[in-house]
Amino acid sequence: MGRPLYMDAVITPHRSLSERGFVVLISVVTLANLASAAVFLSLGATLVPIFLGVDLLAIVVAFLVSFQAVKNIERVQVSAREVRVVRETPKHSVVVWESPTAFTRVAVEKDDDRVAELKLALSGRELPVAVALSPRERAEFAQALERAIWEARRERF
């Protein structure tokens, strides 16, 4: 997009646990599982420690997948000519939406006075955007996106 941008928003998923917090959590879960395993082994239940190990492995994998997802971003760009949405990972970026600004609209679906879903729409096509944001943040983003599209349209006429 070689023209001036009215919006160049980068949306990243929220990360609720830091790496240090992850290490502390896994340490606590490991210690609890080891203590439980020792108790069950002393009672003769030899299969329970295996399941506790699988439980720990599942928790670690879930958090690693979550940490990987945080690296994926969504970029929403609005110029006088077009609205573009790009999904970026550390390895590549893919343009998932391009539409003329003049005909693109912002569709907001509400559920109990909160923004449940925000979509870009054009001629029967829709693309959910800002999925990683909370409902309040999504409402603020919807207003900013509508304002950017309005200002971009104004430039053309």
Side-chain angles (χ1 to χ4, degrees):
M1 297 183 80
R3 297 181 175 216
L5 295 176
Y6 291 89
M7 174 181 271
D8 189 9
V10 177
I11 300 168
T12 58
H14 179 69
R15 184 176 179 171
S16 60
L17 189 65
S18 67
E19 288 183 29
R20 181 176 181 210
F22 171 70
V23 170
V24 169
L25 176 71
I26 293 302
S27 298
V28 169
V29 171
T30 301
L31 289 174
N33 280 1
L34 286 174
S36 298
V39 170
F40 283 112
L41 280 175
S42 69
L43 295 174
T46 57
L47 292 178
V48 173
I50 295 170
F51 288 108
L52 291 173
V54 171
D55 176 52
L56 180 63
L57 181 64
I59 292 171
V60 170
V61 169
F63 274 103
L64 292 178
V65 168
S66 173
F67 289 157
Q68 191 65 30
V70 167
K71 297 176 185 174
N72 300 337
I73 64 169
E74 179 179 48
R75 182 180 298 271
V76 180
Q77 298 174 322
V78 177
S79 71
R81 183 176 178 169
E82 67 183 351
V83 176
R84 178 184 289 179
V85 178
V86 181
R87 302 252 164 89
E88 300 176 1
T89 66
K91 295 182 181 179
H92 67 284
S93 67
V94 177
V95 176
V96 293
W97 178 274
E98 282 184 320
S99 62
T101 304
F103 302 107
T104 304
R105 66 182 178 85
V106 178
V108 178
E109 294 181 15
K110 293 189 175 187
D111 183 32
D112 296 330
D113 293 333
R114 46 179 234 162
V115 175
E117 195 168 24
L118 173 63
K119 297 178 182 179
L120 290 174
L122 172 72
S123 302
R125 291 187 320 147
E126 292 183 333
L127 176 75
V129 293
V131 177
L133 299 178
S134 70
R136 182 184 53 78
E137 293 169 330
R138 207 172 299 130
E140 292 171 4
F141 183 75
Q143 290 175 348
L145 182 58
E146 287 175 335
R147 187 172 38 255
I149 289 174
W150 181 80
E151 288 174 3
R153 285 178 184 160
R154 221 175 64 182
E155 177 188 306
R156 294 192 62 133
F157 300 108

